[in-house]
Amino acid sequence: MFTERRKNRFAERPNELLFRCLEKDDFTEWHEWRDDNENAIISLRGARLGNANLAGTDFSRVDLKAADLKNTNLAGADLSEANLIGADLS
């Protein structure tokens, strides 16, 4: 059974959760949300994620089309089936 806090946290949109995790530099909540919502369609099209530390983050099946990932640490990130068309990975 979920705690009330966990239910509320998982009710928010995934992009809001991701940006909150970025601010804290802790992706525990993101990974918990992904585990509980593995079939969710997540669109981060055009997201500005440049210079972020996203090492080890699960971005599988995430739409990152035209996202700014310039100078982003993606070491160990799961990008399987992610849409990276037009993303800036420089």
Side-chain angles (χ1 to χ4, degrees):
M1 176 177 240
F2 290 114
T3 64
E4 191 63 34
R5 181 174 175 232
R6 189 169 173 160
K7 276 196 268 186
N8 290 339
R9 182 178 70 216
F10 290 162
E12 69 188 313
R13 291 184 282 169
N15 56 344
E16 293 170 353
L17 177 60
L18 176 64
F19 288 109
R20 188 172 72 242
C21 290
L22 277 167
E23 288 175 359
K24 297 187 308 184
D25 196 27
D26 180 356
F27 291 88
T28 304
E29 291 180 76
W30 174 259
H31 293 291
E32 289 175 356
W33 187 90
R34 290 301 311 260
D35 287 344
D36 290 338
N37 297 276
E38 63 186 46
N39 294 320
I41 298 171
I42 302 169
S43 177
L44 295 173
R45 282 185 175 213
R48 293 185 175 146
L49 300 169
N51 299 308
N53 180 12
L54 300 173
T57 303
D58 181 0
F59 283 125
S60 60
R61 299 174 310 281
V62 173
D63 184 359
L64 291 162
K65 184 175 184 175
D68 174 9
L69 298 168
K70 189 183 299 183
N71 298 316
T72 298
N73 181 1
L74 292 167
D78 183 354
L79 296 167
S80 59
E81 299 182 49
N83 179 2
L84 295 167
I85 296 172
D88 185 351
L89 297 165
S90 59

